[in-house]
Amino acid sequence: MRTQVAIIGAGPAGLLLGALLHRSGIDNVVVEQRSADYVLGRIRAGVLEQVAVDLLDEAGVGARLHAEGLPHDGVNLSFGGQRHRIDLHALTGKRVVVYGQTEVTRDLMDHRRSLGRPTVYEADQVAVHGFDGDKPWVTFVKDAQVQRIDADFIAGCDGFHGVCRASVPAGAITEHEKVYPFGWLGLLADVPPVNHELIYGHTERGFMLASMRSATRSRFYLQCPLTDRVEDWSDDAFYDEFARRLPPDAAARLVRGPALEKSIAPLRSFVAEPLRFGRLFLAGDAGHIVPPTGAKGLNLAASDVGLLSRALAEFYGGSPAGIDTYSQRALARIWKAERFSWWFTQLMHRFPENGSFGERMQQAELAYLVQSESAQQAMAENYVGLPLA
Ligand code: FAD
Ligand code: DHB
């Protein structure tokens, strides 16, 4: 098989890149190690910034998002038993849209199928070759046969544990990492949201987040020790703990229902530099991870592939300038999102190792934030995100 761009990974980064390249008339093949159902079963992010909405529109997959997504004009911070609203729209003129990553992925998959663009699911032993020259290729095993795709470029959209970043020679890449000493336990259930907007809470028992997918489906998170196992958390234990961490007015509205999904995600900040190695590009979680507190992971994946698709379109239009500056331009956005996600994570979680002084500083910082219009403005601008250009 021969294509222009071989895309490794059918998560949101890979599928959106494929759709954007298609719009520019650039041929592409997606190679994914899992099944389509497995990819759709992973419950992850839920908040889209305008930049992601615009790119999904540009790719021609925005219809259901506009019909079913929930525009949110504000988010709430709770601490010390009080709730404070950050008015995103009044402060920035922008809003975010609550629409699950699963739905984004489903829309992209349906669109790709309707275009007839090829996606190879359940590809084993995916390997990337020759990207330091000008004729890279990809190999994998499918139905017990070794297959090969020759390409002009390889896009590594294969997530944090993927093969693309791991295939770069160690001396060519620098990795910056911070691992946090806790995780998020998430629960998805068909119960109404406790509030019409998200609530991020800092409590002496740890962080909580009350999010949603629709008027009838909620997504709740609790900070938990990394040593916890999902099996040890019954639904009742989850709801009991969640109710203790919610502000009282919201706790009174909490409706319990059986978990559709429950999982623990570790928290990490990570950036690989650069994001281009000859004819291999990294995009999305393959190149960077943010802790989920700022809801940036999916949005960064979208903005990376927005930049990469434009760079590749420029290349096929005769100019290498875009691919030469992709890494630098993407990293400039990534480091801003890393800073915000790190700051918001430090602000909202419980860090017993920082002692009572650390806790009082968090309280003082939260009090400052809700009293200072300029501090709220900075937070709101970061939360709603930057335009692509
Ligand atoms: P992924 O979605 O990881 O997709 C990569 C794809 O590549 C996967 O389908 C994978 O199967 C495939 N792949 C991997 N290796 C190979 C290989 N060798 N060959 C072929 N294919 C391969 N963000 C938030 O904003 N809020 C959240 O609550 C949140 N929760 C998260 C929970 C978890 C457990 C994780 C892992 C991430 C979470 N994120 C969250 C982050 C957000 O979901 C990611 O930033 C987003 O999925 C990035 O998209 P991606 O396409 O770059 O990577
Ligand atoms: C969700 C996840 C996040 O990490 C976040 O900051 C907000 C919402 C969610 O899954 O709904």
Side-chain angles (χ1 to χ4, degrees), residues 44-47 184 198 200 209 211-213 219 221 292-295 383:
R44 292 180 172 180
V47 176
W184 277 19
L198 272 57
Y200 291 88
L209 167 58
S211 182
M212 68 195 73
R213 291 291 176 269
R219 179 69 166 161
Y221 296 98
T293 326
Y383 193 84

Side-chain angles (χ1 to χ4, degrees), residues 22-141:
H22 170 83
R23 280 272 143 153
S24 301
I26 299 169
D27 191 53
N28 61 86
V29 176
V30 175
V31 180
E32 163 64 49
Q33 69 178 3
R34 305 286 192 170
S35 69
D37 283 346
Y38 181 96
V39 171
L40 283 176
R42 289 187 302 222
I43 308 299
R44 292 180 172 180
V47 176
L48 298 183
E49 296 172 13
Q50 191 62 46
V51 67
V53 173
D54 290 347
L55 286 164
L56 289 162
D57 278 338
E58 188 180 322
V61 278
R64 199 160 68 94
L65 152 68
H66 288 292
E68 296 176 19
L70 306 173
H72 280 203
D73 285 351
V75 292
N76 297 267
L77 302 182
S78 94
F79 58 95
Q82 303 266 327
R83 185 143 65 84
H84 304 266
R85 182 168 187 268
I86 308 283
D87 193 332
L88 300 172
H89 192 255
L91 289 161
T92 67
K94 296 192 207 162
R95 43 177 64 98
V96 293
V97 177
V98 172
Y99 190 67
Q101 179 168 334
T102 311
E103 305 312 314
V104 172
T105 309
R106 193 189 306 280
D107 294 345
L108 286 163
M109 277 181 179
D110 290 350
H111 177 70
R112 192 166 176 88
R113 205 174 302 116
S114 75
L115 298 173
R117 288 275 179 199
T119 311
V120 182
Y121 284 101
E122 299 180 89
D124 285 330
Q125 299 171 45
V126 178
V128 292
H129 313 268
F131 52 83
D132 48 349
D134 57 6
K135 291 189 170 52
W137 73 98
V138 175
T139 55
F140 57 91
V141 175

Side-chain angles (χ1 to χ4, degrees), residues 191 308 358:
V191 296
L308 184 55

Side-chain angles (χ1 to χ4, degrees), residues 154-308:
I154 300 172
C157 300
D158 50 349
F160 183 65
H161 300 288
V163 69
C164 291
R165 193 181 71 253
S167 303
V168 173
I173 190 166
T174 306
E175 299 185 344
H176 309 275
E177 182 171 54
K178 175 176 173 63
V179 176
Y180 299 85
F182 43 74
W184 277 19
L185 170 65
L187 178 144
L188 184 75
D190 277 331
V191 296
V194 293
N195 188 53
H196 71 289
E197 291 171 346
L198 272 57
I199 305 176
Y200 291 88
H202 171 77
T203 80
E204 58 193 19
R205 303 182 65 88
F207 170 80
M208 54 100 348
L209 167 58
S211 182
M212 68 195 73
R213 291 291 176 269
S214 70
T216 55
R217 182 168 285 189
S218 291
R219 179 69 166 161
F220 300 140
Y221 296 98
L222 290 173
Q223 176 182 354
C224 70
L226 279 173
T227 45
D228 280 14
R229 294 179 320 154
V230 179
E231 307 79 71
D232 301 334
W233 279 91
S234 66
D235 293 359
D236 275 339
F238 184 99
Y239 285 114
D240 288 347
E241 184 59 27
F242 196 67
R244 289 186 202 109
R245 297 190 196 181
L246 274 171
D249 63 323
R253 290 193 296 270
L254 177 64
V255 179
R256 299 173 182 227
L260 303 172
E261 192 264 5
K262 230 181 321 180
S263 54
I264 294 180
L267 269 70
R268 183 194 306 274
S269 297
F270 173 88
V271 182
E273 294 184 309
L275 296 173
R276 179 193 177 187
F277 309 88
R279 290 202 165 220
L280 170 68
F281 300 93
L282 301 181
D285 280 14
H288 44 81
I289 296 287
V290 286
T293 326
K296 294 284 162 205
L298 174 58
N299 292 295
L300 273 184
S303 58
D304 282 2
V305 299
L307 291 172
L308 184 55

